[in-house]
């Protein structure tokens, strides 16, 4: 048999198949076909020498943002960071597809359409029938499920619970940035989520974001409470990220107040007014970092340029605050329950078009610190999140699986080569891939076929999201 690509001599780390050591990996027709100590390079059309480098399953990031289409460069940013599959947590799906057509990098993307009181629903207290209709239409359009962004744009507790129920009835995916009209994006919002979800299935986003000391004064104390609550609810999946900066909108409403409740809280907790004056002052002082999208990447502007750009855009941009605590990021990434299983299911970034695609750089730092083993890092950044999304042919490198992988510089912790479906989509920082594959449910296949969109239908029945067995191995 001949091979399309041979990754030779790298240190392969694949906990799903209990492999860690020097192996050659052969790829043909988009699949891994052989993993051996030694494979004849003469049988391969292309050979990549990976000696002294790590060969990992492609990273699966279960929390990214790739919209609006003006920030579609996020597809390239993900490929450069070694991400082969991502869950976009805002949508809408048609905007992600627009960005994929313009700036796609060849990665796989599932999309959650956001459910908000400012367009997708008529109000924060919309009836169950209206929520059902929105979920149904989103799935028909090709979305993987829905995202509740209550921390930014809250719904009532009743409508929030109704949305979780409706999504579970459709057997689609659901993620939640905790917060309602009763509780904010804090520990109280997380504890409220535990009550609202009941026995329904849910991905709770960025666990450490609710542990900033806003409720108890101690971020660590709040984090321990959050982790205890999660450990008591094994039917839920969750993720946390390692970035020090959050991300939110600087957009203002008709009253000159920030549109996002998170933006308001970040301003007030930093001693600034939650208005135009407060945004400009925070940017001037460097407490607020302004994001700007360029054709090649999204960056944080230097402090002296941020205030001017806010004015230039009419406050229509994304901004960040230094509110994510290092202590809680560490705990969420590493803490295990009494049985030795990770409490937070996966590592994510909340990145994509937000410049914090730190799965490799920060995650591997935890390995260097001996807080995670290499296999544990791969579990949290690839294997577990792939199973969350029902992608059993991803997240590992056993023969027969999808040839999605990343070759990593073990010293700089940077991605050197990103491969999706056997195709090199990024090499040495240069993105070669185009387009991509939309991950969808059976509900969306008809519309996507009609549009000629490359897609893969995923059955979530046996996913970790819908089975979430107690004691998922760490």
């Amino acid at each position: 048999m001949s091979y399309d690509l041979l990754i030779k001599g790298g240190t392969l780390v694949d906990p799903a198949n209990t492999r860690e050591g020097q192996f050659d990996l052969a790829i043909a027709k988009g699949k891994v076909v052989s993993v051996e100590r030694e494979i004849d390079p003469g049988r391969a059309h292309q050979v990549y020498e990976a000696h002294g480098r790590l060969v990992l399953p492609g990273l699966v990031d279960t929390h990214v943002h790739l919209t609006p289409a003006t920030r579609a460069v996020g597809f390239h940013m993900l490929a450069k960071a070694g991400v082969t599959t991502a869950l976009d947590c805002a949508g809408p799906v048609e905007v992600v597809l627009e960005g994929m057509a313009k700036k796609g990098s060849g990665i796989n993307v599932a999309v959650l359409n956001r459910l908000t009181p400012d367009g997708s629903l008529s109000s924060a207290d919309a009836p169950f029938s209206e929520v059902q209709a929105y979920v149904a239409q989103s799935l028909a359009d090709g979305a993987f499920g829905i995202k509740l962004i209550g921390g930014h744009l809250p719904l009532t507790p009743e409508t929030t619970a109704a949305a979780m129920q409706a999504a579970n009835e459709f057997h689609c995916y659901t993620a939640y940035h905790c917060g309602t009209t009763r509780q904010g994006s804090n520990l109280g919002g997380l504890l409220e989520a535990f009550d609202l979800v009941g026995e329904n299935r849910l991905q709770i986003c960025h666990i450490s974001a609710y542990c900033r000391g806003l409720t108890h004064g101690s971020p660590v104390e709040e984090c321990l409470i959050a982790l205890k609550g999660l450990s008591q609810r094994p039917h839920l999946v969750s993720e946390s990220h390692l970035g020090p900066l959050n991300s939110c909108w600087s957009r203002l409403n008709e009253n000159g107040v920030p549109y996002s409740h998170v933006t308001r809280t970040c301003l007030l907790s930093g001693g600034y007014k939650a208005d135009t004056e407060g945004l400009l002052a925070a940017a001037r002082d460097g407490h607020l970092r302004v994001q700007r999208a360029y054709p090649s990447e999204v960056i944080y502007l230097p402090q002296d340029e941020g205030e001017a750009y806010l004015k230039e855009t009419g406050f229509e941009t994304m901004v960040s605050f230094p509110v994510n605590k290092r202590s809680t990021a560490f705990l969420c990434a590493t803490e295990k329950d009494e049985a030795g299983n990770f409490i937070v299911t996966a590592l994510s970034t909340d990145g994509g078009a937000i410049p914090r695609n730190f799965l490799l750089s920060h995650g591997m730092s935890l390995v260097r610190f001996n807080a995670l083993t290499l296999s544990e890092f791969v579990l949290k950044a690839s294997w577990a999140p792939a199973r969350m999304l029902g992608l059993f042919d991803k997240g590992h490198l056993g023969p027969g699986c999808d040839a999605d992988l990343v070759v990593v510089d073990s010293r700089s912790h940077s991605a050197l080569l990103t491969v999706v479906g056997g195709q090199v989509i990024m090499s040495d920082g240069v993105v070669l891939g185009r387009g991509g594959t939309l991950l969808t449910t059976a509900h969306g296949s008809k519309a996507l076929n009609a549009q000629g969109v490359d897609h893969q239908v995923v059955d979530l029945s046996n996913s970790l999201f819908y089975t979430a067995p107690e004691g998922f191995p760490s």
Side-chain angles (χ1 to χ4, degrees), residues 14-311:
D14 182 11
N17 294 293
T18 61
R19 284 195 185 95
E20 184 172 338
Q22 187 170 314
F23 289 89
D24 292 352
L25 185 146
I27 296 168
K29 297 181 180 179
K31 298 286 186 178
V32 173
V33 293
S34 183
V35 181
E36 303 291 343
R37 293 290 183 180
E38 187 72 33
I39 297 176
D40 180 8
R43 298 169 64 183
H45 295 292
Q46 182 181 1
V47 178
Y48 184 90
E49 293 290 348
H51 287 86
R53 296 166 177 176
L54 299 172
V55 180
L56 312 179
L59 304 181
V60 179
D61 194 334
T62 51
H63 194 149
V64 307
H65 293 281
L66 294 165
T67 56
T70 53
R71 294 164 66 94
V73 69
F75 285 98
H76 282 222
M77 294 165 69
L78 287 170
K80 289 180 180 180
V83 174
T84 57
T85 299
L87 180 67
D88 177 88
C89 287
V93 65
E94 59 268 21
V95 179
V96 174
L97 288 174
E98 179 187 352
M100 185 182 287
K102 291 180 178 178
K103 204 77 174 178
S105 59
I107 68 172
N108 311 290
V109 179
V111 181
L112 303 181
N113 277 7
R114 66 182 189 178
L115 191 68
T116 68
D118 68 338
S120 48
L121 297 178
S122 60
S123 72
D125 194 27
F128 185 68
S129 59
E130 190 177 333
V131 174
Q132 279 185 312
Y134 180 78
V135 175
Q137 186 60 59
S138 293
L139 296 177
D141 291 341
F144 204 63
I146 61 167
K147 165 77 178 296
L148 293 152
I149 56 172
H152 293 284
L153 301 174
L155 302 170
T156 63
E158 294 75 19
T159 299
T160 300
M164 296 173 187
Q165 178 66 34
N168 274 250
E169 288 179 1
F170 279 101
H171 212 66
C172 67
Y173 206 89
T174 320
Y176 184 32
H177 178 154
C178 299
T180 65
T181 54
R182 183 171 63 197
Q183 292 282 354
S185 180
N186 52 37
L187 181 62
L190 175 61
L191 297 180
E192 180 190 47
F194 293 153
D195 293 332
L196 295 177
V197 69
E199 295 303 313
N200 284 314
R201 304 303 175 125
L202 184 69
Q203 173 182 316
I204 299 186
C205 299
H206 44 51
I207 296 299
S208 56
Y210 315 116
C211 308
R212 295 169 176 163
L214 298 175
T215 304
H216 285 259
S218 168
V220 170
E221 180 184 345
E222 292 181 356
C223 190
L224 294 176
I225 294 171
L227 292 173
K228 181 178 179 181
L230 277 177
S231 67
Q232 295 169 341
R233 293 165 177 83
H235 65 294
L236 303 179
V237 295
S238 57
E239 34 87 3
S240 65
H241 65 75
L242 296 165
L245 302 178
N246 76 341
S247 185
C248 44
W249 302 294
S250 59
R251 180 185 304 167
L252 303 170
N253 64 19
E254 64 277 5
N255 298 316
V257 173
Y259 180 67
S260 165
H261 286 228
V262 172
T263 310
R264 300 177 199 177
T265 299
C266 289
L267 286 168
L268 294 170
S269 63
Y272 299 90
K273 296 178 180 179
D275 58 14
T276 305
E277 180 185 330
L279 284 166
L280 295 174
R284 194 180 311 126
D285 295 344
H287 180 67
L288 176 156
R289 300 291 302 278
V290 179
Q291 301 173 33
R292 180 167 185 173
Y294 289 96
S296 60
E297 63 180 337
V298 179
I299 66 167
Y300 295 115
L301 289 175
Q303 183 174 334
D304 59 350
E305 297 179 22
E307 181 183 3
Y309 191 67
L310 280 176
K311 294 177 180 177

